[in-house]
Amino acid sequence: TGTGAGSSVTVQVVYSVVPTGGASTPVVPTLGVININSNLKLSGSINVIGGTAAKLWVNGNVDLTGSVTGIDQICSTGDVTIGSAITVNRICTDGNLTLDGNASVITVEAVKNVVLSGGSVDIATLTSNGNVTLSGGSAKVGTLNAWGTVKVSGGSATVTSVVNSMDAVSWTSSSPAKTINANGNVNYTASNSNTVINSGGSVILSGNGDVKD
């Protein structure tokens, strides 16, 4: 299904994270939070212990590799790079986010760009003020909201529910889309699996399947 000009998309804005003690309400609660006022790098087999899963507030960049467990959420003022088999409820960052490997996350919030670069990353809801790229592997997002462009390319990367973009969407993955809403142009090359495309710009279809008004 293709809908032409006149369509519009509204997506949520991600506001900057403010540490405890700042002028605005903190993004993470103060109780049980581990505050780290420097860059954080964890590698190898890491298990954060001590009561319930940890909530990490990092005033800097985050780099996680290997196997990391025991973390409920990670919030950072800098860039976040995760290449580990980590399972967390939430990742929020004022910078860019890069996810690889077998990370599983319920909620991702990023002020800048997000890249899911291969592996089998699984995210329930992703919201970004920048561009979002799913490149290769079997990366999967349930609902994707972006103020920038969205690219779903290579492998079987997919968005299983809906893509909402204030800009353009390019979908060249082998997996079909469910619903694409874009204020800009849409380029779609996958098959039609009852796919719905709403675009405020041009729509280019080069996959297999029927097109309905």
Side-chain angles (χ1 to χ4, degrees):
T1 302
T3 302
S7 301
S8 62
V9 179
T10 302
V11 299
Q12 178 184 355
V13 176
V14 180
Y15 292 97
S16 295
V17 181
V18 178
T20 302
S24 302
T25 302
V27 167
V28 294
T30 56
L31 182 63
V33 174
I34 300 173
N35 294 295
I36 301 172
N37 291 312
S38 64
N39 295 333
L40 173 66
K41 184 173 183 178
L42 298 176
S43 61
S45 181
I46 305 295
N47 181 25
V48 181
I49 60 176
T52 58
K55 296 176 175 63
L56 302 183
W57 165 261
V58 181
N59 188 14
N61 299 324
V62 174
D63 187 351
L64 306 181
T65 58
S67 177
V68 181
T69 59
I71 298 176
D72 175 67
Q73 66 181 23
I74 301 169
C75 287
S76 169
T77 60
D79 294 338
V80 175
T81 302
I82 298 177
S84 63
I86 187 174
T87 299
V88 295
N89 286 327
R90 183 185 183 212
I91 297 174
C92 55
T93 172
D94 281 355
N96 300 300
L97 172 63
T98 302
L99 284 171
D100 197 352
N102 300 318
S104 177
V105 187
I106 294 177
T107 303
V108 167
E109 300 159 350
V111 171
K112 295 184 180 178
N113 301 323
V114 176
V115 175
L116 310 184
S117 56
S120 56
V121 175
D122 190 348
I123 299 172
T125 303
L126 190 162
T127 303
S128 170
N129 281 3
N131 303 322
V132 177
T133 301
L134 283 68
S135 59
S138 57
K140 180 174 67 175
V141 176
T143 299
L144 194 162
N145 305 306
W147 275 80
T149 61
V150 174
K151 294 182 180 180
V152 184
S153 62
S156 58
T158 190
V159 178
T160 59
S161 181
V162 59
V163 175
N164 297 312
S165 172
M166 294 294 288
D167 206 321
V169 173
S170 174
W171 188 295
T172 57
S173 168
S174 62
S175 296
K178 183 67 174 178
T179 303
I180 297 175
N181 300 317
N183 279 352
N185 299 333
V186 174
N187 178 29
Y188 184 79
T189 65
S191 62
N192 180 8
S193 180
N194 294 319
T195 302
V196 176
I197 299 176
N198 300 305
S199 171
S202 301
V203 177
I204 299 175
L205 303 175
S206 54
N208 299 313
D210 298 329
V211 177
K212 298 180 181 180
D213 291 332

